[in-house]
């Protein structure tokens, strides 16, 4: 087409640059203006139309436009004003701008025609012009329009009107660019005019001006909004800081530093004073010793009388001398305890009752083992009948959301009234990651011509996929905003190209893509909704000036929107197609890297539930391996203490065989040589120890593990019968938990039975063979008890040691004269009598603690807690009944020399030598280590102080760390490590640059009348300043607090604006019958606007807007009116699902206002967004009186975090209270119960501290683990505390010798139960938990392996280090287990009883 360039002309008088229409550029195109260099004219001007469009300024005088131009201007203004009419300032500035451009008589002063062209009618028309606009008017024009909201798209009118312009230059450029949907010729806006031109410089209206022709509402003009009061962001950090640390941290560090300093200074002062005291004390002691040798102590003559030493206090003053001498012999600071207090101590009735009850239970189980088996297994068989109702819960919502959760009820309300949220099928496409890439930013750009061509074929394949068996395609299941005959919503880069690349080539695609990314309204997809670049491109870099470099985007984001439905049939159609899509994407993910160098990460509507359920079967091998490891540990460890005294271990036999083996070859005649010990004779094959065959507990260990499995199965049966469904956590974790907890009691019972066998078994006929340390119970009649670990040896010479040893030997021989053999049944009964109360204590506390986890409302967690509590309780029941019977059966097998696992095979009895030397007194290696090394070291005063300081430091560090625990639960942890959803969620975090939608649902408000309407609207002058729309807009302006980033879609504002008669293509009725609405395509001659002649007329004060039945009639029509270019305010596509009407159509039951969160990249963001939305909803409810709640798809899973902290405090508080009550009741001492509870609390605090360091979030799962920690921590403490209380002499706490007595009791307790706690509790748990380190599930690794490993280590340290120290310093008075009956008293008198713990000596001949 010919192009002509005109010469510039100087303008000195009013003139025109163009006038009239010269035909379109192409057929059916928009008309082009004619170049015209002449004066303005009044010819061919429709003055009424001109005045209507451009105002009174053009009511008279010549103009530069004709009627044809005015009609074109009217049509164009009508399209624009559909978007901007809500803001009078922008609307009037827009008209002023284009009226001046088209009709101003001064047109030639600011408009220059730069190029001409021939139109399709062969007329000379304008091709391009330069339009000079002043900066003042340009800025004012842009500012008046930039904040106008486009509610239907949750965007801005500027996105459509100005291509998303960020300044007035871009705004004007977009309007002036030649395009099909815009100007038919090019309009350029030079920054500065030529000297002969003056820029258009009229006064722009401001949106905040007070006149009705200018003032806009808050929604469209930020300057008129009322500022909301300042509030901190949700979950904001504490504001009190000292430097870089919080005030709490600073205070703790300061207090701990002072404590350490005080300890150092105090200890130094004490050492100094003690040394001075010792020097003077030694001089006095020498004189005292001399006097005591001359005067006989009364005690030396009354040794055979019970309590005789108590008479000494009534004799002459010699008592003090003797007491001092004996006290010095006992050690510094010690004084002899009155035997009468020891022999006749106070007793705790509950303790006696429990011991007798457990004794009777044990005696029955041991006497009638097979009857016991039959009764118990019959009961447990009945429990397992509940498996008939066994069900597994797999629905994520029913698993992780409480049935009465506020968010779940709100979700159900939303689904019922507005339909379920969409099923999203989403794919992230990136280039293959280079080998050195470590982050998404390192990925190469994904947008290349080859990649686009490849992906175009993929999308075509997806559109043609057919499901099996019904053959559904994407078109059958997708969302179609325009109705069943419309197009599917597919958000993809390909939509910018019309899903067809045939019109583009390697040289043109880049321009198209950049243009579409910058102005999405120019590239509307087939479903006619603009696609913002953040919806289809991920991780777009910016240049130095902050401009987006769209061609260098790292990822493409493709989203297929599929409606969900409460109708199972409709939902089934979508799911069937999703299975087909999933299979296709699975294959594509395998071949795309090879074929095109592309990686895909993807998810479908069925993926979440499917992948969560898939993890059920991923860790079966780990479960089996854990049980095998525990089985071998139990089987080989249980038999260690059962060997006879002269048996050698397997290792020593192998060493002896290897040492003697060379002699077998070097000395062939050695076989004829007589040997006193056949074990020293060289043999070709090793001589295996007898205990390996007879003393083994392989079968017993297997039986104990079988009971664990039975308890888990019975718990499942019981709760299944009660209707409690099994969850995946139960299937994966309960076996580990019950195994680790349940095997402990097996060890404790077996170890105690071994001790009973040493005391009262077949080989215990002589006291010489008995262990030299006493158990504080009725089974250790007459045996000596070791020396206090704090005893000072330096004050004794060799003669005193010899006399002491003789004395101990005498006592021991006296004791040995008493018959000690008891039947197997009696020994087993006494075993349960002693350990039963401890088992009861730990079982009750664990069961109560686990059961408290049921207070957590999440079904997965509540069911887990119930199953765990039931399994632990049932396992304990089995152990004190069935396992006790198994103990006696196994004990008789051992004593009958029958081989373990093959009881029919009997080994010949071995000849016992009476002269056989004693080889260890029956103490295991751990017991000897604790007795000789650990206990004496731990109970030193200095060590106690260091222990207290160390654990105080751990407490301080834990409290500091707890402040850094984050709330949340990363859903990626719920999937198997190889799940395709993990890279998908990684991609969501890395590439998705738009937040999830959030809906503010409003109900219980009457929107058919003006007060209710004013509570919702925002675009009218009489709307409530704190209406829903106004507050949401005000919250959007403080994104860092509200987490809302997009304008809200206000249905009521768009509805009322749809009625505006100026929008002549929106609401229309028949001229002949106003009750009949016109269809979109009906002729304007037959229709008129709904409010054309309405009285009162439509206006922004809302006076005259419909109410009552009229409101509902218009509303129902609005909801079915198609949303299109002619009327973008119609409600069908934009708000069709935003309102729920009553069944009779006379009322609005509920409606929602849709907006979007800002991009949420972390668990903290998701939780804070949830909290912010609920805060906004609560504020709106309070301000409007309506019921408002916020709903987003992820809220239902994050409801727990709104209450997790108070629930944690409540449950742990109740748990500690239960521990205090149970321990104080069963131990018989509030003082000791309080200490145990405090140590348990410190254990839990330490676990929480490690959570902060190890990155373990606080959620319902970790909360239950904390409750479990509380229960298991009791197990580490209960046995030590009970042994401590049971070793007492009845000495009052404030007795002068109380400290020495507590040290003695603690020493006895550690030697008594320490090995069982270490090998039977700590090691068993460690083995069971360490196997979890091999799991592929990050969920199990983080929330079970890490937390339980921390618990085991922390529990062992607190139970075996801190607790003994604190009890030795402040423990309550003990209650000896000896029952004050005639049998015990006769033994005490016959054995010439004297309180011996202070008299026994580690170095005596009988000591280990």
């Amino acid at each position: 087409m010919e192009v002509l360039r005109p010469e510039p002309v100087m303008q000195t008088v009013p003139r025109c640059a163009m006038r009239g229409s010269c035909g379109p550029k192409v057929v059916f195109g928009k008309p082009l203006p004619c170049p015209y260099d002449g004066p303005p004219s009044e010819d061919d001007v429709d003055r009424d139309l001109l005045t209507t469009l451009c105002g009174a300024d053009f009511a008279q005088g010549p103009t530069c436009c004709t009627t044809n131009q005015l009609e074109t201007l009217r049509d164009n203004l009508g399209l624009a004003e559909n978007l901007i009419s809500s803001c009078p300032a922008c609307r009037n500035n827009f008209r002023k701008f284009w009226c001046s451009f088209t009709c101003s008589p001064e047109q030639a002063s600011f408009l220059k025609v730069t190029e001409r062209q021939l139109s399709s009618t062969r007329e000379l028309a304008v091709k391009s012009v330069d339009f000079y606009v002043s900066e003042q008017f340009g800025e004012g024009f842009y500012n008046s329009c930039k904040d106008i909201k486009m509610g239907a798209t949750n965007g801005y009118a500027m996105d459509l009107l100005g291509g998303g312009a960020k300044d007035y230059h871009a705004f004007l450029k977009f309007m002036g660019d030649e395009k099909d949907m815009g100007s038919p010729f090019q309009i350029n806006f030079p920054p500065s005019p030529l000297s002969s031109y003056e820029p258009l410089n009229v006064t722009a209206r401001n949106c905040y001006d007070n006149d009705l022709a200018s003032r806009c509402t808050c929604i469209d003009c930020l300057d008129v909004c009322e500022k909301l009061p300042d509030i901190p962001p949700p979950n904001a950090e504490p504001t009190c800081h000292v430097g870089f640390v919080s005030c709490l941290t600073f205070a703790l560090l300061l207090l701990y530093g002072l404590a350490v300093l005080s300890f150092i200074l105090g200890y130094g002062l004490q050492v100094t004073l003690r040394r001075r005291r010792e020097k003077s004390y030694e001089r006095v002691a020498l004189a005292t010793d001399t006097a005591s040798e001359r005067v006989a102590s009364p005690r030396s003559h009354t040794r055979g009388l019970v309590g005789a030493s108590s008479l000494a206090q009534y004799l002459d003053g010699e008592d003090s001398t003797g007491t001092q001498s004996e006290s010095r012999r006992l050690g510094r600071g010690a004084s002899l305890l009155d035997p009468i207090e020891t022999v006749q101590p106070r007793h705790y009735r509950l303790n006696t009752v429990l011991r007798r009850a457990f004794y009777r239970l044990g005696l029955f189980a041991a006497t009638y083992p097979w009857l016991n088996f039959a009764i118990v297994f019959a009961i447990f068989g009945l429990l397992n009948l509940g498996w008939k109702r066994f069900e597994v819960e797999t629905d994520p919502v029913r698993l992780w959301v409480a049935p009465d959760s506020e968010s779940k009820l709100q979700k159900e309300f939303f689904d019922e009234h507005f339909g379920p949220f969409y099923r999203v099928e989403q794919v992230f496409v990136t280039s293959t990651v280079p080998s050195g890439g470590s982050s998404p930013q390192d990925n190469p750009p994904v947008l290349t011509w080859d990649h686009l061509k490849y992906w175009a074929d993929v999308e075509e394949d997806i559109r043609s996929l057919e499901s099996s068996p019904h053959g559904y395609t994407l078109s059958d299941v997708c969302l179609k905003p325009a109705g069943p005959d419309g197009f599917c919503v597919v958000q993809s880069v390909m939509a910018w190209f019309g899903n067809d690349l045939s019109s583009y080539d390697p040289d043109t695609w880049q321009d198209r893509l950049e243009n579409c990314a910058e102005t999405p309204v120019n590239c509307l997809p087939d479903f006619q909704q603009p696609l913002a670049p953040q919806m289809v491109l991920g991780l777009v870099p910016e240049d130095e000036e902050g401009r987006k470099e769209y061609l260098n985007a790292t990822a493409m984001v493709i989203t297929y929107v599929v409606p969900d439905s409460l109708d199972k049939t409709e939902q089934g159609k979508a799911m069937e197609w999703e299975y087909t899509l999933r299979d296709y994407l699975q294959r594509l993910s395998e071949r795309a890297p090879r074929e095109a160098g592309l990686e895909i990460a993807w998810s479908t509507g069925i993926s979440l539930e499917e992948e969560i359920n898939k993890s059920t079967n991923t860790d079966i091998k780990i479960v089996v391996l854990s049980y095998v490891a525990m089985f071998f540990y139990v089987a080989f460890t249980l038999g260690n203490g059962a060997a006879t005294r002269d048996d050698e271990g397997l290792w020593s036999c192998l060493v002896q065989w290897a040492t003697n083996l060379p002699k077998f070859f070097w000395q062939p005649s050695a076989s004829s040589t007589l040997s006193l010990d056949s074990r020293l004779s060289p043999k070709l094959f090793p001589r295996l120890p007898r205990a390996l065959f007879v003393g083994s507990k392989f079968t017993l260990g297997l039986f104990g593990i079988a009971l664990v499995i039975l308890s888990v199965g019975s718990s499942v049966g019981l709760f299944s019968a009660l209707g409690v469904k099994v969850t995946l956590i139960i299937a994966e974790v309960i076996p580990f938990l019950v195994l680790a907890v349940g095997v402990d009691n097996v060890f404790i019972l077996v170890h105690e039975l071994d001790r009973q066998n040493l005391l009262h078994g077949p080989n215990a006929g002589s006291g010489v063979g008995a262990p030299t340390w006493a158990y504080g119970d009725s089974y250790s009649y007459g045996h000596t008890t070791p020396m206090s670990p704090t005893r000072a040896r330096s004050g004794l010479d060799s003669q005193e040691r010899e006399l002491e040893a003789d004395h101990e030997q005498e006592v021991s021989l006296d004791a040995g004269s008493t018959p000690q053999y008891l039947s197997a049944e009696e020994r087993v009964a006494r075993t349960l009598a002693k350990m039963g109360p401890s088992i009861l204590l730990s079982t009750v506390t664990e069961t109560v603690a686990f059961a408290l986890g049921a207070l957590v409302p999440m079904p997965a967690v509540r069911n887990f807690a119930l199953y765990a509590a039931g399994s632990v309780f049932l396992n304990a029941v089995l152990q004190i009944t069935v396992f006790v019977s198994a103990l006696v059966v196994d004990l008789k097998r051992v004593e009958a020399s029958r081989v373990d696992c093959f009881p029919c095979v009997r080994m010949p009895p071995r000849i016992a030598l009476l002269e056989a030397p004693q080889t260890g007194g029956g103490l295991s290696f751990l017991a000897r280590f604790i007795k000789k090394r650990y206990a004496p070291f731990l109970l030193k005063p200095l060590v106690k102080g260091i222990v207290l300081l160390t654990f105080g430091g751990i407490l301080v560090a834990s409290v500091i760390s707890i402040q850094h625990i984050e709330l949340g639960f990363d859903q990626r942890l719920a999937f198997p490590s190889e799940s395709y959803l993990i890279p998908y969620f990684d991609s969501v975090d890395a590439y998705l640059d738009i937040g999830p939608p959030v809906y503010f649902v409003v109900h219980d408000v009457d929107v058919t009348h003006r007060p209710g309407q004013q509570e919702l609207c925002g675009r009218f002058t009489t709307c409530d300043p704190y209406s829903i729309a106004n507050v949401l807009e005000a919250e959007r302006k403080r994104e860092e607090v509200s987490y809302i980033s997009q304008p809200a879609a206000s249905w009521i504002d768009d509805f009322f604006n749809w009625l505006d008669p100026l929008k002549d293509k929106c609401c229309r009725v028949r001229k002949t019958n106003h009750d009949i609405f016109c269809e979109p395509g009906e002729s304007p001659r037959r229709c008129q606007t709904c409010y054309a002649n309405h009285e009162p007329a439509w206006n922004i004060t809302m006076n005259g807007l419909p109410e009552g039945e009229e409101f509902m009639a218009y509303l129902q029509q609005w909801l079915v009116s198609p949303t299109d270019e002619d009327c973008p305010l119609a409600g069908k596509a934009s708000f069709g699902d935003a309102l729920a009407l009553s069944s009779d159509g006379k009322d609005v039951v509920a409606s929602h206002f849709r907006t979007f969160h800002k991009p949420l990249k972390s668990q903290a963001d998701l939780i804070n967004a949830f909290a912010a939305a609920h805060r906004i909803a609560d504020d709106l409810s309070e301000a409007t009186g309506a019921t408002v709640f916020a709903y987003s798809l992820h809220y239902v899973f994050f409801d727990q975090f709104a209450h997790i902290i108070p629930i944690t405090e409540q449950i742990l508080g109740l748990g500690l209270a239960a521990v205090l009550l149970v321990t104080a009741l069963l131990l018989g001492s509030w003082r000791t119960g309080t200490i145990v509870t405090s140590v348990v609390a410190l254990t839990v605090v330490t676990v929480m501290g490690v959570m902060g360091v190890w990155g373990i979030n606080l959620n319902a799962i970790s909360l239950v683990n904390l409750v479990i920690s509380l229960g298991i921590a009791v197990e580490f403490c209960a046995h030590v505390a009970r042994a401590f209380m049971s070793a007492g002499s009845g000495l009052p706490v404030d007795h002068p010798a109380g400290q020495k007595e507590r040290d003695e009791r603690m020493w006895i307790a550690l030697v008594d139960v320490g090995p069982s706690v270490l090998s039977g509790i700590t090691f068993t748990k460690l083995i069971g938990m360490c196997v979890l380190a091999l799991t592929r599930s990050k969920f199990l690794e983080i929330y079970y392996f890490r937390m339980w490993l921390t618990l085991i280590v922390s529990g062992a340290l607190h139970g075996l280090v801190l607790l003994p120290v604190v009890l030795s310093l402040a423990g309550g008075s003990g209650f000896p287990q000896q029952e004050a009956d005639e049998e015990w008293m006769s033994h005490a008198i016959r054995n010439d009883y004297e309180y011996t713990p202070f008299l026994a000596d580690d170095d005596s001949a009988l000591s280990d």
Side-chain angles (χ1 to χ4, degrees), residues 623 626-627 630 708 711-712 729-744 846 849-850 864-872 875 1264-1265 1267-1269 1271-1272 1275 1324-1325 1328-1329 1332 1344 1348 1351-1352:
V623 174
S626 177
Y627 271 74
M630 186 71 76
V708 171
S711 66
V712 175
I729 301 179
I730 294 172
E732 294 180 332
V733 178
I734 293 289
F736 294 102
L737 174 65
V738 181
L739 184 65
V741 173
V743 174
D744 306 344
E846 285 173 353
F850 293 171
F864 170 83
L866 290 174
Y867 275 90
S871 298
V872 170
N875 188 56
V1264 169
N1265 279 335
V1267 176
I1268 290 174
S1269 299
I1272 293 181
E1275 193 167 9
T1324 54
K1325 286 181 171 59
M1329 289 305 106
L1332 276 179
Y1344 290 95
W1348 288 4
L1351 163 64
I1352 294 165

Side-chain angles (χ1 to χ4, degrees), residues 133 314 666 931 1029 1280 1316:
V133 180
Y314 302 108
W666 298 344
K931 175 185 177 183
V1280 175
S1316 296

Side-chain angles (χ1 to χ4, degrees), residues 145-395:
C145 298
K146 67 178 181 180
D147 292 321
I148 297 178
K149 308 305 183 298
M150 186 66 183
T153 63
N154 291 108
Y156 296 86
M158 188 61 68
D159 296 337
L160 300 176
L161 196 67
K166 302 302 181 186
D167 55 50
Y168 86 92
H169 295 289
F171 176 37
L172 298 181
K173 180 182 182 304
F174 179 83
M175 290 193 297
D177 285 342
E178 181 182 354
K179 49 184 174 288
D180 293 339
M181 298 295 295
S183 174
F185 59 96
Q186 181 64 36
I187 305 174
N188 298 313
F189 297 89
S192 58
L194 298 175
S195 58
S196 58
Y197 290 88
E198 291 290 334
L200 177 67
N201 191 21
V202 296
T203 301
R205 294 180 179 272
N206 298 310
C207 65
Y208 51 82
D209 292 341
N210 287 324
D211 61 292
L212 291 180
S214 300
R215 191 171 183 84
C216 305
T217 58
C218 167
I219 284 184
D220 297 326
C221 183
L222 303 184
D223 294 322
V224 303
C225 294
E226 295 190 22
K227 190 175 184 297
L228 296 177
D230 292 333
I231 59 172
N235 300 315
E237 300 247 343
T239 56
C240 179
H241 282 81
V242 179
F244 296 102
V245 300
S246 66
C247 293
L248 176 60
T249 300
F250 178 78
L252 290 173
L253 293 175
L254 180 63
L255 290 174
Y256 183 68
L258 293 175
V260 173
L261 182 62
S262 301
F263 173 77
I264 295 173
L265 294 177
Y267 181 74
L269 180 62
Q270 181 187 15
V271 169
T272 303
L273 294 176
R274 187 174 60 195
R275 287 177 179 173
R276 291 181 181 179
R277 220 172 24 243
E278 284 177 351
K279 291 179 181 179
S280 59
Y281 174 77
E282 288 175 356
R283 291 194 296 270
V284 175
L286 289 174
T288 305
D289 287 344
T290 305
S292 64
E293 290 175 359
R294 300 192 190 99
V295 183
S297 172
R299 293 176 59 113
S300 62
H301 303 290
T302 58
R303 180 175 176 277
L305 299 176
V306 175
S309 61
S310 62
L311 299 174
Q313 59 183 308
Y314 302 108
L315 300 180
D316 52 26
E318 297 168 352
D319 166 66
S320 62
T321 306
T323 302
Q324 287 181 9
S325 173
E326 196 157 355
S327 175
R328 187 174 69 83
R329 190 167 70 87
L330 295 177
R332 217 167 21 243
S335 62
L336 275 179
L337 308 180
D338 191 344
I340 200 67
E341 292 178 316
T342 305
V343 174
Q344 298 173 335
R346 60 197 183 99
H347 293 278
Y348 185 44
R349 181 169 181 79
L350 179 60
N351 187 35
T352 303
V353 171
L354 288 176
R355 285 170 49 79
R356 288 177 175 171
F358 278 109
Y359 174 82
R360 293 189 180 98
L361 176 62
L363 191 61
F364 171 80
T367 306
Y368 308 103
W370 304 109
L371 175 62
N372 188 41
F373 286 152
I375 295 174
V376 175
F377 285 147
I379 295 173
F380 275 73
L382 293 176
L383 292 178
N384 280 272
L385 292 177
W387 277 85
K388 292 182 178 180
R389 299 185 60 188
F390 176 81
E391 288 185 76
V392 178
E393 183 61 80
T394 58
D395 181 12

Side-chain angles (χ1 to χ4, degrees), residues 1288-1358:
S1289 62
L1291 199 66
V1293 174
D1294 55 353
H1295 193 281
Q1299 181 59 59
K1300 294 296 294 183
E1301 191 256 3
R1302 285 192 296 274
D1303 285 346
E1304 290 288 350
R1305 289 160 54 199
M1306 194 69 256
W1307 188 90
I1308 293 171
L1310 283 174
V1311 178
D1312 190 5
V1313 300
S1316 296
V1317 172
L1318 204 56
S1319 64
I1321 298 180
T1322 307
F1323 292 161
T1324 54
K1325 286 181 171 59
L1326 275 177
I1327 290 174
M1329 289 305 106
C1330 285
V1331 175
L1332 276 179
L1334 304 175
T1335 182
R1336 292 178 294 170
S1337 169
K1338 295 293 291 183
F1339 171 75
L1340 288 182
E1341 177 194 336
I1342 292 176
Y1343 287 100
Y1344 290 95
F1345 169 69
R1346 292 184 184 180
M1347 286 196 71
W1348 288 4
L1349 180 64
T1350 302
L1351 163 64
I1352 294 165
V1353 175
S1354 175
L1357 290 176
H1358 282 82

Side-chain angles (χ1 to χ4, degrees), residues 55 75 130 198 202 298 305 360 431 475 517 547 569 927 978 1105 1254 1302:
D75 293 341
D130 285 347
E198 291 290 334
V202 296
L305 299 176
R360 293 189 180 98
S431 295
S475 180
R547 291 176 298 193
T569 302
E978 69 278 4
L1105 294 185
W1254 218 337
R1302 285 192 296 274

